[in-house]
Amino acid sequence: MAFSVCLLVLLSILKQYNPGAAILTALGGCIVLIWYILRTAQPIVELVKNLSRLSGFEHLDSVLKAIAIAMLTQSAQDLSQQAGQTALAGRIELAGKVAVLVAALPLFSVLTETLVSLLG
């Protein structure tokens, strides 16, 4: 968290004097934070994968992909809005939603098969 506070102070100073550098610094900071989150969350992901294997839930990868896509999309959208590109931020949000739906297609297939088997 100390990194985030230092980055915030640096960004507020840079934004006054060089907005372009502030955007690039924010992008770099986001990349470092996402890398840290992924590295820190790895044991949790492994535990959840092991539990899903034991429980027989095969499609946890789809859920994890959808979560990762949503997190990356939100970061890209926030950076676009900070850069003043609201139209681009809206398209990033739309692209993220479509990507989450594509990642979740295996879940929709299983749900459809389950409903058809229950009804028929």
Side-chain angles (χ1 to χ4, degrees):
M1 289 292 118
F3 174 77
S4 300
V5 172
C6 291
L7 183 62
L8 184 61
V9 170
L10 177 64
L11 287 173
S12 62
I13 293 169
L14 274 176
K15 192 173 182 180
Q16 293 174 5
Y17 297 106
N18 191 345
I23 302 263
L24 292 176
T25 304
L27 176 62
C30 286
I31 290 170
V32 169
L33 287 171
I34 288 171
W35 173 79
Y36 175 75
I37 290 167
L38 291 176
R39 204 174 117 222
T40 304
Q42 189 62 31
I44 297 168
V45 171
E46 290 302 320
L47 174 67
V48 172
K49 282 185 177 182
N50 287 336
L51 290 174
S52 72
R53 265 188 242 117
L54 293 173
S55 69
F57 183 65
E58 307 166 354
H59 299 288
L60 181 69
D61 287 340
S62 298
V63 173
L64 293 176
K65 283 179 192 176
I67 292 170
I69 290 168
M71 290 172 60
L72 291 173
T73 299
Q74 185 65 48
S75 295
Q77 183 182 10
D78 290 344
L79 283 170
S80 296
Q81 286 177 343
Q82 182 183 4
Q85 300 295 326
T86 54
L88 178 62
R91 300 306 72 80
I92 289 172
E93 181 182 10
L94 178 62
K97 288 177 182 179
V98 170
V100 166
L101 285 174
V102 169
L105 279 178
L107 294 173
F108 291 130
S109 298
V110 169
L111 179 63
T112 303
E113 290 171 7
T114 303
L115 288 174
V116 166
S117 69
L118 288 174
L119 296 175

